[in-house]
Amino acid sequence: HVKSANAGQTYNLLLSQSAFPANLELAVKLRADDGEEDQGGGLVWRAQDEKNYYVTRWNPLESNLRIYKVEDGKRTQLQSARLEAPAGPAWHTLSVRVHGAKMRVDFDGKALLEIEDATFPQPGRVGLWTKADASCSFDDLAVHPLK
């Protein structure tokens, strides 16, 4: 396992170089490997830059799945669901479907979050996200534009 030297309110972002359509389905397999302060990770979409984007993230330490908007670097929680999925060797699938202002987040094929928010209506970059010292493995990132 790789240890992260980050802590606190550090958001670790990996963003695509190109923008993707605003309406899309985004999915990734993820595994929470390590972290004392935070664990797990998430998906980013409609990112304008490193300070303006949507993110959904799973944190097995907190037993939850959440969706946030980050606007001008300030993270605001939009919705949260209880999720008992332990860290460790198991891989999980995190996916988001975005159409207009409607967003639905699924974890292992089960819809857990559903919101409407129009803060970032435009196309943007997609990516992967962790917080603080979370070490998370990601695999099979898939992006499918929607009409």
Side-chain angles (χ1 to χ4, degrees):
H1 297 288
V2 176
K3 292 271 186 196
S4 171
N6 292 330
Q9 296 299 310
T10 300
Y11 305 133
N12 308 294
L13 279 172
L14 175 66
L15 294 176
S16 63
Q17 290 184 349
S18 303
F20 283 84
N23 298 329
L24 53 77
E25 285 182 335
L26 187 59
V28 72
K29 289 181 184 174
L30 74 168
R31 181 184 67 212
D33 296 323
D34 203 6
E36 293 178 21
E37 186 179 340
D38 269 281
Q39 286 183 3
L43 287 168
V44 172
W45 64 98
R46 292 187 182 172
Q48 304 310 297
D49 55 35
E50 72 279 359
K51 293 185 179 215
N52 295 281
Y53 56 88
Y54 290 109
V55 59
T56 184
R57 70 95 179 112
W58 161 58
N59 186 335
L61 280 180
E62 297 176 359
S63 300
N64 61 33
L65 179 69
R66 291 184 173 163
I67 187 169
Y68 297 92
K69 68 177 176 180
V70 177
E71 193 172 14
D72 294 326
K74 181 177 182 270
R75 188 175 68 152
T76 303
Q77 181 180 306
L78 300 175
Q79 195 173 51
S80 180
R82 185 117 183 105
L83 176 60
E84 295 293 339
W91 285 89
H92 300 281
T93 301
L94 179 63
S95 62
V96 63
R97 179 183 171 87
V98 185
H99 196 275
K102 294 182 180 184
M103 301 170 213
R104 187 189 79 214
V105 178
D106 294 7
F107 190 87
D108 286 341
K110 182 178 178 185
L112 292 179
L113 302 172
E114 203 158 337
I115 67 157
E116 286 193 41
D117 185 86
T119 304
F120 304 114
Q122 65 274 44
R125 294 153 69 186
V126 300
L128 305 173
W129 183 98
T130 65
K131 179 176 176 264
D133 69 341
S135 178
C136 188
S137 294
F138 295 95
D139 199 8
D140 294 338
L141 177 64
V143 183
H144 301 285
L146 298 174
K147 299 217 183 235

